[in-house]
Amino acid sequence: MVLVGPAGVGKSTLGRELAARTCRLFVDLDAVADEYYAQVGWSMDRLRERIAAVGRLEAEAEWEPARAHAVVRVVADHPGAVVALGAGHTSYADRRHLAAVRAALGRCPEVVRILPSADREVSLDVLRRRCEVDKGRSWVVDGHDFLAHWLDDPGARLVATRTVHTDGESPAQTAARLI
């Protein structure tokens, strides 16, 4: 099972819960992605350098091939695992990168898009509060609202086999429902 969704939605927490309940390996792409980025000449240091040079939005566009490569590789390297993809790993301006990710995820039996609510504004409010409390950031950078972008981006909807709204459930409750 692969979990996708915006930052702050609880993919990692839910993924660990699902993996424990199903006796599967849990892989958080955000935790292992550096290895995959390096395979195509990227690193988090390079990303930070590019953000400083051209701004976050432009750097994200430059980084797309590395993000797509990481998704393709993590799915291939960990068949049968519960995998959580970072928020930006389903968001691509270049259709070729989204196509590569869709093809890789198309081989996964379950790609679940996690959202706090069916209501967009409720979801955005919940996500913003969580990100500010847990990560100390609102995800509004250089006037661009990345949280809203990830929430509205069609990539996550296109790769998902279904969408699950947590609606205030605990991770244990959502995991039980998914299983």
Side-chain angles (χ1 to χ4, degrees):
M1 181 179 293
V2 178
L3 304 175
V4 301
V9 78
K11 298 176 298 290
S12 298
T13 303
L14 179 57
R16 280 189 289 277
E17 182 73 26
L18 283 164
R21 287 175 177 243
T22 59
C23 299
R24 302 228 180 222
L25 175 67
F26 171 65
V27 180
D28 186 342
L29 182 55
D30 283 344
V32 301
D34 288 347
E35 162 192 345
Y36 298 120
Y37 300 154
Q39 292 171 355
V40 292
W42 274 86
S43 67
M44 292 310 292
D45 286 339
R46 180 177 177 199
L47 176 61
R48 284 187 281 279
E49 289 169 7
R50 295 307 298 152
I51 289 169
V54 299
R56 181 74 191 224
L57 197 56
E58 180 62 32
E60 288 280 335
E62 292 176 8
W63 188 36
E64 281 191 6
R67 289 196 322 266
H69 175 78
V71 173
V72 171
R73 292 305 318 147
V74 77
V75 169
D77 290 350
H78 301 284
V82 176
V83 177
L85 300 186
H89 288 95
T90 57
S91 180
Y92 299 94
D94 187 319
R95 285 182 277 198
R96 293 172 299 171
H97 301 134
L98 180 57
V101 168
R102 285 183 77 184
L105 294 177
R107 293 187 286 278
C108 300
E110 290 275 354
V111 180
V112 182
R113 180 177 176 231
I114 307 295
L115 294 174
S117 170
D119 183 293
R120 181 204 182 270
E121 295 309 313
V122 170
S123 284
L124 188 56
D125 183 53
V126 167
L127 295 168
R128 181 105 47 225
R129 278 193 320 246
R130 287 180 185 169
C131 286
E132 287 173 347
V133 169
D134 297 341
K135 301 171 193 287
R137 62 188 317 172
S138 68
W139 281 107
V140 176
V141 181
D142 300 331
H144 182 78
D145 189 339
F146 281 91
L147 261 182
H149 175 89
W150 292 324
L151 182 62
D152 298 336
D153 189 88
R157 282 190 301 277
L158 289 171
V159 301
T161 56
R162 64 179 159 151
T163 297
V164 171
H165 302 107
T166 57
D167 292 314
E169 289 179 326
S170 70
Q173 291 169 317
T174 304
R177 190 160 49 103
L178 282 169
I179 292 168

PDB file of all heavy atoms in Angstrom, residues 85-123:
ATOM      1  N   LEU A  85       4.616   8.460   0.702  1.00  0.00           N
ATOM      2  CA  LEU A  85       5.309   9.412  -0.166  1.00  0.00           C
ATOM      3  C   LEU A  85       5.187  10.808   0.425  1.00  0.00           C
ATOM      4  O   LEU A  85       4.131  11.185   0.909  1.00  0.00           O
ATOM      5  CB  LEU A  85       4.689   9.423  -1.567  1.00  0.00           C
ATOM      6  CG  LEU A  85       4.689   8.128  -2.353  1.00  0.00           C
ATOM      7  CD1 LEU A  85       4.158   8.381  -3.767  1.00  0.00           C
ATOM      8  CD2 LEU A  85       6.072   7.504  -2.415  1.00  0.00           C
ATOM      9  N   GLY A  86       6.265  11.581   0.357  1.00  0.00           N
ATOM     10  CA  GLY A  86       6.203  12.973   0.785  1.00  0.00           C
ATOM     11  C   GLY A  86       5.234  13.757  -0.089  1.00  0.00           C
ATOM     12  O   GLY A  86       4.949  13.366  -1.224  1.00  0.00           O
ATOM     13  N   ALA A  87       4.753  14.858   0.423  1.00  0.00           N
ATOM     14  CA  ALA A  87       3.703  15.639  -0.240  1.00  0.00           C
ATOM     15  C   ALA A  87       4.021  15.977  -1.694  1.00  0.00           C
ATOM     16  O   ALA A  87       3.178  15.841  -2.562  1.00  0.00           O
ATOM     17  CB  ALA A  87       3.445  16.918   0.550  1.00  0.00           C
ATOM     18  N   GLY A  88       5.225  16.405  -1.986  1.00  0.00           N
ATOM     19  CA  GLY A  88       5.565  16.824  -3.338  1.00  0.00           C
ATOM     20  C   GLY A  88       5.804  15.700  -4.316  1.00  0.00           C
ATOM     21  O   GLY A  88       5.987  15.941  -5.508  1.00  0.00           O
ATOM     22  N   HIS A  89       5.784  14.471  -3.845  1.00  0.00           N
ATOM     23  CA  HIS A  89       6.121  13.343  -4.713  1.00  0.00           C
ATOM     24  C   HIS A  89       4.995  12.910  -5.654  1.00  0.00           C
ATOM     25  O   HIS A  89       5.157  11.962  -6.415  1.00  0.00           O
ATOM     26  CB  HIS A  89       6.622  12.162  -3.879  1.00  0.00           C
ATOM     27  CG  HIS A  89       7.993  12.410  -3.329  1.00  0.00           C
ATOM     28  ND1 HIS A  89       8.202  12.911  -2.074  1.00  0.00           N
ATOM     29  CD2 HIS A  89       9.213  12.256  -3.878  1.00  0.00           C
ATOM     30  CE1 HIS A  89       9.502  13.040  -1.868  1.00  0.00           C
ATOM     31  NE2 HIS A  89      10.133  12.657  -2.953  1.00  0.00           N
ATOM     32  N   THR A  90       3.869  13.600  -5.619  1.00  0.00           N
ATOM     33  CA  THR A  90       2.811  13.342  -6.606  1.00  0.00           C
ATOM     34  C   THR A  90       2.449  14.615  -7.362  1.00  0.00           C
ATOM     35  O   THR A  90       1.516  14.617  -8.150  1.00  0.00           O
ATOM     36  CB  THR A  90       1.539  12.768  -5.946  1.00  0.00           C
ATOM     37  OG1 THR A  90       1.076  13.671  -4.943  1.00  0.00           O
ATOM     38  CG2 THR A  90       1.798  11.397  -5.353  1.00  0.00           C
ATOM     39  N   SER A  91       3.193  15.685  -7.137  1.00  0.00           N
ATOM     40  CA  SER A  91       2.894  16.986  -7.735  1.00  0.00           C
ATOM     41  C   SER A  91       3.972  17.358  -8.755  1.00  0.00           C
ATOM     42  O   SER A  91       5.118  17.618  -8.387  1.00  0.00           O
ATOM     43  CB  SER A  91       2.823  18.040  -6.623  1.00  0.00           C
ATOM     44  OG  SER A  91       2.543  19.303  -7.159  1.00  0.00           O
ATOM     45  N   TYR A  92       3.577  17.401 -10.023  1.00  0.00           N
ATOM     46  CA  TYR A  92       4.530  17.660 -11.102  1.00  0.00           C
ATOM     47  C   TYR A  92       3.934  18.610 -12.134  1.00  0.00           C
ATOM     48  O   TYR A  92       2.809  18.402 -12.583  1.00  0.00           O
ATOM     49  CB  TYR A  92       4.923  16.349 -11.801  1.00  0.00           C
ATOM     50  CG  TYR A  92       5.576  15.377 -10.860  1.00  0.00           C
ATOM     51  CD1 TYR A  92       4.826  14.400 -10.211  1.00  0.00           C
ATOM     52  CD2 TYR A  92       6.931  15.464 -10.584  1.00  0.00           C
ATOM     53  CE1 TYR A  92       5.417  13.521  -9.322  1.00  0.00           C
ATOM     54  CE2 TYR A  92       7.525  14.591  -9.690  1.00  0.00           C
ATOM     55  CZ  TYR A  92       6.761  13.623  -9.065  1.00  0.00           C
ATOM     56  OH  TYR A  92       7.353  12.767  -8.172  1.00  0.00           O
ATOM     57  N   ALA A  93       4.713  19.611 -12.517  1.00  0.00           N
ATOM     58  CA  ALA A  93       4.308  20.507 -13.601  1.00  0.00           C
ATOM     59  C   ALA A  93       4.570  19.839 -14.954  1.00  0.00           C
ATOM     60  O   ALA A  93       3.820  20.036 -15.909  1.00  0.00           O
ATOM     61  CB  ALA A  93       5.059  21.830 -13.505  1.00  0.00           C
ATOM     62  N   ASP A  94       5.627  19.040 -15.013  1.00  0.00           N
ATOM     63  CA  ASP A  94       5.998  18.352 -16.248  1.00  0.00           C
ATOM     64  C   ASP A  94       5.241  17.024 -16.320  1.00  0.00           C
ATOM     65  O   ASP A  94       5.440  16.137 -15.479  1.00  0.00           O
ATOM     66  CB  ASP A  94       7.508  18.110 -16.267  1.00  0.00           C
ATOM     67  CG  ASP A  94       8.002  17.552 -17.591  1.00  0.00           C
ATOM     68  OD1 ASP A  94       7.318  16.678 -18.178  1.00  0.00           O
ATOM     69  OD2 ASP A  94       9.093  17.976 -18.022  1.00  0.00           O
ATOM     70  N   ARG A  95       4.411  16.878 -17.308  1.00  0.00           N
ATOM     71  CA  ARG A  95       3.576  15.679 -17.438  1.00  0.00           C
ATOM     72  C   ARG A  95       4.376  14.382 -17.571  1.00  0.00           C
ATOM     73  O   ARG A  95       3.905  13.324 -17.194  1.00  0.00           O
ATOM     74  CB  ARG A  95       2.634  15.818 -18.630  1.00  0.00           C
ATOM     75  CG  ARG A  95       1.475  16.753 -18.346  1.00  0.00           C
ATOM     76  CD  ARG A  95       0.576  16.805 -19.518  1.00  0.00           C
ATOM     77  NE  ARG A  95       1.169  17.776 -20.448  1.00  0.00           N
ATOM     78  CZ  ARG A  95       0.526  18.348 -21.428  1.00  0.00           C
ATOM     79  NH1 ARG A  95      -0.708  18.034 -21.670  1.00  0.00           N
ATOM     80  NH2 ARG A  95       1.123  19.220 -22.206  1.00  0.00           N
ATOM     81  N   ARG A  96       5.597  14.484 -18.090  1.00  0.00           N
ATOM     82  CA  ARG A  96       6.432  13.279 -18.228  1.00  0.00           C
ATOM     83  C   ARG A  96       6.775  12.695 -16.867  1.00  0.00           C
ATOM     84  O   ARG A  96       6.783  11.475 -16.702  1.00  0.00           O
ATOM     85  CB  ARG A  96       7.707  13.590 -19.003  1.00  0.00           C
ATOM     86  CG  ARG A  96       7.483  13.955 -20.463  1.00  0.00           C
ATOM     87  CD  ARG A  96       8.743  14.431 -21.089  1.00  0.00           C
ATOM     88  NE  ARG A  96       9.176  15.638 -20.360  1.00  0.00           N
ATOM     89  CZ  ARG A  96      10.335  16.238 -20.521  1.00  0.00           C
ATOM     90  NH1 ARG A  96      11.224  15.754 -21.354  1.00  0.00           N
ATOM     91  NH2 ARG A  96      10.637  17.330 -19.843  1.00  0.00           N
ATOM     92  N   HIS A  97       7.046  13.560 -15.902  1.00  0.00           N
ATOM     93  CA  HIS A  97       7.383  13.074 -14.564  1.00  0.00           C
ATOM     94  C   HIS A  97       6.171  12.457 -13.891  1.00  0.00           C
ATOM     95  O   HIS A  97       6.269  11.392 -13.267  1.00  0.00           O
ATOM     96  CB  HIS A  97       7.974  14.201 -13.718  1.00  0.00           C
ATOM     97  CG  HIS A  97       9.205  14.787 -14.336  1.00  0.00           C
ATOM     98  ND1 HIS A  97       9.406  16.131 -14.433  1.00  0.00           N
ATOM     99  CD2 HIS A  97      10.273  14.204 -14.925  1.00  0.00           C
ATOM    100  CE1 HIS A  97      10.552  16.361 -15.043  1.00  0.00           C
ATOM    101  NE2 HIS A  97      11.097  15.202 -15.360  1.00  0.00           N
ATOM    102  N   LEU A  98       5.021  13.099 -14.042  1.00  0.00           N
ATOM    103  CA  LEU A  98       3.794  12.527 -13.484  1.00  0.00           C
ATOM    104  C   LEU A  98       3.479  11.195 -14.162  1.00  0.00           C
ATOM    105  O   LEU A  98       3.071  10.238 -13.493  1.00  0.00           O
ATOM    106  CB  LEU A  98       2.619  13.490 -13.632  1.00  0.00           C
ATOM    107  CG  LEU A  98       1.281  12.987 -13.089  1.00  0.00           C
ATOM    108  CD1 LEU A  98       1.375  12.622 -11.613  1.00  0.00           C
ATOM    109  CD2 LEU A  98       0.187  14.035 -13.319  1.00  0.00           C
ATOM    110  N   ALA A  99       3.712  11.091 -15.451  1.00  0.00           N
ATOM    111  CA  ALA A  99       3.454   9.827 -16.169  1.00  0.00           C
ATOM    112  C   ALA A  99       4.345   8.709 -15.638  1.00  0.00           C
ATOM    113  O   ALA A  99       3.886   7.571 -15.463  1.00  0.00           O
ATOM    114  CB  ALA A  99       3.666  10.011 -17.664  1.00  0.00           C
ATOM    115  N   ALA A 100       5.600   9.018 -15.360  1.00  0.00           N
ATOM    116  CA  ALA A 100       6.511   7.998 -14.811  1.00  0.00           C
ATOM    117  C   ALA A 100       6.048   7.550 -13.432  1.00  0.00           C
ATOM    118  O   ALA A 100       6.064   6.345 -13.120  1.00  0.00           O
ATOM    119  CB  ALA A 100       7.932   8.554 -14.734  1.00  0.00           C
ATOM    120  N   VAL A 101       5.608   8.494 -12.615  1.00  0.00           N
ATOM    121  CA  VAL A 101       5.113   8.162 -11.274  1.00  0.00           C
ATOM    122  C   VAL A 101       3.821   7.362 -11.374  1.00  0.00           C
ATOM    123  O   VAL A 101       3.640   6.366 -10.662  1.00  0.00           O
ATOM    124  CB  VAL A 101       4.939   9.442 -10.431  1.00  0.00           C
ATOM    125  CG1 VAL A 101       4.154   9.175  -9.161  1.00  0.00           C
ATOM    126  CG2 VAL A 101       6.309  10.035 -10.107  1.00  0.00           C
ATOM    127  N   ARG A 102       2.929   7.774 -12.255  1.00  0.00           N
ATOM    128  CA  ARG A 102       1.672   7.020 -12.439  1.00  0.00           C
ATOM    129  C   ARG A 102       1.944   5.589 -12.881  1.00  0.00           C
ATOM    130  O   ARG A 102       1.296   4.653 -12.405  1.00  0.00           O
ATOM    131  CB  ARG A 102       0.773   7.709 -13.464  1.00  0.00           C
ATOM    132  CG  ARG A 102       0.099   8.952 -12.934  1.00  0.00           C
ATOM    133  CD  ARG A 102      -0.832   9.553 -13.953  1.00  0.00           C
ATOM    134  NE  ARG A 102      -2.064   8.766 -14.008  1.00  0.00           N
ATOM    135  CZ  ARG A 102      -3.045   8.998 -14.860  1.00  0.00           C
ATOM    136  NH1 ARG A 102      -2.943   9.977 -15.746  1.00  0.00           N
ATOM    137  NH2 ARG A 102      -4.126   8.256 -14.851  1.00  0.00           N
ATOM    138  N   ALA A 103       2.892   5.401 -13.785  1.00  0.00           N
ATOM    139  CA  ALA A 103       3.222   4.052 -14.255  1.00  0.00           C
ATOM    140  C   ALA A 103       3.768   3.208 -13.105  1.00  0.00           C
ATOM    141  O   ALA A 103       3.372   2.046 -12.946  1.00  0.00           O
ATOM    142  CB  ALA A 103       4.230   4.120 -15.398  1.00  0.00           C
ATOM    143  N   ALA A 104       4.659   3.778 -12.313  1.00  0.00           N
ATOM    144  CA  ALA A 104       5.236   3.030 -11.181  1.00  0.00           C
ATOM    145  C   ALA A 104       4.164   2.687 -10.156  1.00  0.00           C
ATOM    146  O   ALA A 104       4.080   1.548  -9.674  1.00  0.00           O
ATOM    147  CB  ALA A 104       6.359   3.832 -10.532  1.00  0.00           C
ATOM    148  N   LEU A 105       3.345   3.666  -9.813  1.00  0.00           N
ATOM    149  CA  LEU A 105       2.310   3.429  -8.801  1.00  0.00           C
ATOM    150  C   LEU A 105       1.163   2.583  -9.350  1.00  0.00           C
ATOM    151  O   LEU A 105       0.446   1.941  -8.582  1.00  0.00           O
ATOM    152  CB  LEU A 105       1.786   4.754  -8.250  1.00  0.00           C
ATOM    153  CG  LEU A 105       2.804   5.571  -7.456  1.00  0.00           C
ATOM    154  CD1 LEU A 105       2.197   6.899  -7.007  1.00  0.00           C
ATOM    155  CD2 LEU A 105       3.330   4.792  -6.263  1.00  0.00           C
ATOM    156  N   GLY A 106       1.017   2.557 -10.665  1.00  0.00           N
ATOM    157  CA  GLY A 106      -0.019   1.725 -11.278  1.00  0.00           C
ATOM    158  C   GLY A 106       0.203   0.241 -11.045  1.00  0.00           C
ATOM    159  O   GLY A 106      -0.718  -0.563 -11.176  1.00  0.00           O
ATOM    160  N   ARG A 107       1.421  -0.133 -10.682  1.00  0.00           N
ATOM    161  CA  ARG A 107       1.725  -1.534 -10.374  1.00  0.00           C
ATOM    162  C   ARG A 107       1.455  -1.867  -8.902  1.00  0.00           C
ATOM    163  O   ARG A 107       1.615  -3.021  -8.499  1.00  0.00           O
ATOM    164  CB  ARG A 107       3.175  -1.837 -10.735  1.00  0.00           C
ATOM    165  CG  ARG A 107       3.426  -1.770 -12.240  1.00  0.00           C
ATOM    166  CD  ARG A 107       4.822  -2.223 -12.629  1.00  0.00           C
ATOM    167  NE  ARG A 107       5.869  -1.271 -12.304  1.00  0.00           N
ATOM    168  CZ  ARG A 107       6.201  -0.219 -13.041  1.00  0.00           C
ATOM    169  NH1 ARG A 107       5.533   0.027 -14.149  1.00  0.00           N
ATOM    170  NH2 ARG A 107       7.176   0.581 -12.675  1.00  0.00           N
ATOM    171  N   CYS A 108       1.064  -0.867  -8.119  1.00  0.00           N
ATOM    172  CA  CYS A 108       0.768  -1.077  -6.690  1.00  0.00           C
ATOM    173  C   CYS A 108      -0.724  -1.338  -6.537  1.00  0.00           C
ATOM    174  O   CYS A 108      -1.546  -0.613  -7.103  1.00  0.00           O
ATOM    175  CB  CYS A 108       1.158   0.154  -5.884  1.00  0.00           C
ATOM    176  SG  CYS A 108       2.900   0.576  -6.006  1.00  0.00           S
ATOM    177  N   PRO A 109      -1.089  -2.366  -5.767  1.00  0.00           N
ATOM    178  CA  PRO A 109      -2.506  -2.694  -5.639  1.00  0.00           C
ATOM    179  C   PRO A 109      -3.329  -1.597  -4.964  1.00  0.00           C
ATOM    180  O   PRO A 109      -4.494  -1.412  -5.295  1.00  0.00           O
ATOM    181  CB  PRO A 109      -2.527  -3.969  -4.802  1.00  0.00           C
ATOM    182  CG  PRO A 109      -1.136  -4.232  -4.373  1.00  0.00           C
ATOM    183  CD  PRO A 109      -0.224  -3.301  -5.072  1.00  0.00           C
ATOM    184  N   GLU A 110      -2.734  -0.868  -4.024  1.00  0.00           N
ATOM    185  CA  GLU A 110      -3.462   0.170  -3.299  1.00  0.00           C
ATOM    186  C   GLU A 110      -2.617   1.430  -3.217  1.00  0.00           C
ATOM    187  O   GLU A 110      -1.513   1.406  -2.664  1.00  0.00           O
ATOM    188  CB  GLU A 110      -3.777  -0.281  -1.864  1.00  0.00           C
ATOM    189  CG  GLU A 110      -4.800  -1.372  -1.763  1.00  0.00           C
ATOM    190  CD  GLU A 110      -6.225  -0.852  -1.770  1.00  0.00           C
ATOM    191  OE1 GLU A 110      -6.446   0.377  -1.737  1.00  0.00           O
ATOM    192  OE2 GLU A 110      -7.127  -1.687  -1.808  1.00  0.00           O
ATOM    193  N   VAL A 111      -3.108   2.514  -3.769  1.00  0.00           N
ATOM    194  CA  VAL A 111      -2.507   3.829  -3.593  1.00  0.00           C
ATOM    195  C   VAL A 111      -3.609   4.694  -2.989  1.00  0.00           C
ATOM    196  O   VAL A 111      -4.593   5.020  -3.663  1.00  0.00           O
ATOM    197  CB  VAL A 111      -2.002   4.428  -4.926  1.00  0.00           C
ATOM    198  CG1 VAL A 111      -1.389   5.812  -4.687  1.00  0.00           C
ATOM    199  CG2 VAL A 111      -1.004   3.491  -5.585  1.00  0.00           C
ATOM    200  N   VAL A 112      -3.451   4.999  -1.716  1.00  0.00           N
ATOM    201  CA  VAL A 112      -4.516   5.650  -0.969  1.00  0.00           C
ATOM    202  C   VAL A 112      -4.164   7.116  -0.719  1.00  0.00           C
ATOM    203  O   VAL A 112      -3.140   7.424  -0.116  1.00  0.00           O
ATOM    204  CB  VAL A 112      -4.771   4.931   0.379  1.00  0.00           C
ATOM    205  CG1 VAL A 112      -5.925   5.587   1.123  1.00  0.00           C
ATOM    206  CG2 VAL A 112      -5.049   3.455   0.146  1.00  0.00           C
ATOM    207  N   ARG A 113      -5.025   7.977  -1.188  1.00  0.00           N
ATOM    208  CA  ARG A 113      -4.903   9.424  -0.927  1.00  0.00           C
ATOM    209  C   ARG A 113      -5.594   9.709   0.401  1.00  0.00           C
ATOM    210  O   ARG A 113      -6.780   9.426   0.556  1.00  0.00           O
ATOM    211  CB  ARG A 113      -5.551  10.198  -2.060  1.00  0.00           C
ATOM    212  CG  ARG A 113      -5.499  11.692  -1.909  1.00  0.00           C
ATOM    213  CD  ARG A 113      -6.125  12.319  -3.159  1.00  0.00           C
ATOM    214  NE  ARG A 113      -6.206  13.752  -3.056  1.00  0.00           N
ATOM    215  CZ  ARG A 113      -7.317  14.450  -3.271  1.00  0.00           C
ATOM    216  NH1 ARG A 113      -8.440  13.834  -3.621  1.00  0.00           N
ATOM    217  NH2 ARG A 113      -7.299  15.758  -3.160  1.00  0.00           N
ATOM    218  N   ILE A 114      -4.834  10.262   1.328  1.00  0.00           N
ATOM    219  CA  ILE A 114      -5.355  10.550   2.661  1.00  0.00           C
ATOM    220  C   ILE A 114      -5.649  12.041   2.763  1.00  0.00           C
ATOM    221  O   ILE A 114      -4.802  12.872   2.425  1.00  0.00           O
ATOM    222  CB  ILE A 114      -4.327  10.155   3.758  1.00  0.00           C
ATOM    223  CG1 ILE A 114      -3.859   8.708   3.585  1.00  0.00           C
ATOM    224  CG2 ILE A 114      -4.887  10.405   5.143  1.00  0.00           C
ATOM    225  CD1 ILE A 114      -4.919   7.676   3.769  1.00  0.00           C
ATOM    226  N   LEU A 115      -6.837  12.380   3.243  1.00  0.00           N
ATOM    227  CA  LEU A 115      -7.232  13.766   3.488  1.00  0.00           C
ATOM    228  C   LEU A 115      -7.977  13.850   4.817  1.00  0.00           C
ATOM    229  O   LEU A 115      -8.673  12.903   5.192  1.00  0.00           O
ATOM    230  CB  LEU A 115      -8.140  14.290   2.373  1.00  0.00           C
ATOM    231  CG  LEU A 115      -7.517  14.441   0.996  1.00  0.00           C
ATOM    232  CD1 LEU A 115      -8.578  14.835  -0.029  1.00  0.00           C
ATOM    233  CD2 LEU A 115      -6.396  15.473   1.027  1.00  0.00           C
ATOM    234  N   PRO A 116      -7.888  14.985   5.499  1.00  0.00           N
ATOM    235  CA  PRO A 116      -8.610  15.111   6.766  1.00  0.00           C
ATOM    236  C   PRO A 116     -10.124  15.148   6.600  1.00  0.00           C
ATOM    237  O   PRO A 116     -10.858  14.711   7.471  1.00  0.00           O
ATOM    238  CB  PRO A 116      -8.110  16.446   7.345  1.00  0.00           C
ATOM    239  CG  PRO A 116      -6.869  16.772   6.621  1.00  0.00           C
ATOM    240  CD  PRO A 116      -6.992  16.111   5.271  1.00  0.00           C
ATOM    241  N   SER A 117     -10.608  15.677   5.465  1.00  0.00           N
ATOM    242  CA  SER A 117     -12.047  15.886   5.291  1.00  0.00           C
ATOM    243  C   SER A 117     -12.386  15.918   3.807  1.00  0.00           C
ATOM    244  O   SER A 117     -11.532  16.226   2.965  1.00  0.00           O
ATOM    245  CB  SER A 117     -12.436  17.225   5.933  1.00  0.00           C
ATOM    246  OG  SER A 117     -13.761  17.585   5.610  1.00  0.00           O
ATOM    247  N   ALA A 118     -13.633  15.664   3.485  1.00  0.00           N
ATOM    248  CA  ALA A 118     -14.109  15.821   2.111  1.00  0.00           C
ATOM    249  C   ALA A 118     -14.241  17.296   1.755  1.00  0.00           C
ATOM    250  O   ALA A 118     -14.256  17.659   0.581  1.00  0.00           O
ATOM    251  CB  ALA A 118     -15.445  15.113   1.931  1.00  0.00           C
ATOM    252  N   ASP A 119     -14.327  18.146   2.772  1.00  0.00           N
ATOM    253  CA  ASP A 119     -14.437  19.590   2.583  1.00  0.00           C
ATOM    254  C   ASP A 119     -13.039  20.192   2.434  1.00  0.00           C
ATOM    255  O   ASP A 119     -12.223  20.108   3.353  1.00  0.00           O
ATOM    256  CB  ASP A 119     -15.168  20.201   3.773  1.00  0.00           C
ATOM    257  CG  ASP A 119     -15.381  21.688   3.634  1.00  0.00           C
ATOM    258  OD1 ASP A 119     -14.380  22.435   3.658  1.00  0.00           O
ATOM    259  OD2 ASP A 119     -16.554  22.107   3.532  1.00  0.00           O
ATOM    260  N   ARG A 120     -12.762  20.814   1.301  1.00  0.00           N
ATOM    261  CA  ARG A 120     -11.435  21.363   1.023  1.00  0.00           C
ATOM    262  C   ARG A 120     -10.989  22.356   2.086  1.00  0.00           C
ATOM    263  O   ARG A 120      -9.847  22.327   2.542  1.00  0.00           O
ATOM    264  CB  ARG A 120     -11.418  22.029  -0.347  1.00  0.00           C
ATOM    265  CG  ARG A 120     -10.038  22.595  -0.701  1.00  0.00           C
ATOM    266  CD  ARG A 120     -10.130  23.726  -1.728  1.00  0.00           C
ATOM    267  NE  ARG A 120      -8.825  24.221  -2.090  1.00  0.00           N
ATOM    268  CZ  ARG A 120      -8.222  25.216  -1.454  1.00  0.00           C
ATOM    269  NH1 ARG A 120      -8.785  25.802  -0.421  1.00  0.00           N
ATOM    270  NH2 ARG A 120      -7.024  25.629  -1.851  1.00  0.00           N
ATOM    271  N   GLU A 121     -11.857  23.282   2.453  1.00  0.00           N
ATOM    272  CA  GLU A 121     -11.472  24.322   3.412  1.00  0.00           C
ATOM    273  C   GLU A 121     -11.185  23.731   4.792  1.00  0.00           C
ATOM    274  O   GLU A 121     -10.255  24.161   5.472  1.00  0.00           O
ATOM    275  CB  GLU A 121     -12.536  25.417   3.493  1.00  0.00           C
ATOM    276  CG  GLU A 121     -12.703  26.201   2.194  1.00  0.00           C
ATOM    277  CD  GLU A 121     -11.388  26.725   1.631  1.00  0.00           C
ATOM    278  OE1 GLU A 121     -10.585  27.303   2.402  1.00  0.00           O
ATOM    279  OE2 GLU A 121     -11.154  26.568   0.416  1.00  0.00           O
ATOM    280  N   VAL A 122     -11.968  22.754   5.198  1.00  0.00           N
ATOM    281  CA  VAL A 122     -11.711  22.078   6.473  1.00  0.00           C
ATOM    282  C   VAL A 122     -10.360  21.372   6.405  1.00  0.00           C
ATOM    283  O   VAL A 122      -9.542  21.471   7.323  1.00  0.00           O
ATOM    284  CB  VAL A 122     -12.852  21.090   6.830  1.00  0.00           C
ATOM    285  CG1 VAL A 122     -12.467  20.210   8.018  1.00  0.00           C
ATOM    286  CG2 VAL A 122     -14.142  21.848   7.110  1.00  0.00           C
ATOM    287  N   SER A 123     -10.110  20.664   5.303  1.00  0.00           N
ATOM    288  CA  SER A 123      -8.826  19.975   5.134  1.00  0.00           C
ATOM    289  C   SER A 123      -7.670  20.961   5.207  1.00  0.00           C
ATOM    290  O   SER A 123      -6.685  20.734   5.918  1.00  0.00           O
ATOM    291  CB  SER A 123      -8.771  19.225   3.799  1.00  0.00           C
ATOM    292  OG  SER A 123      -9.540  18.048   3.859  1.00  0.00           O
TER     293      SER A 123
END
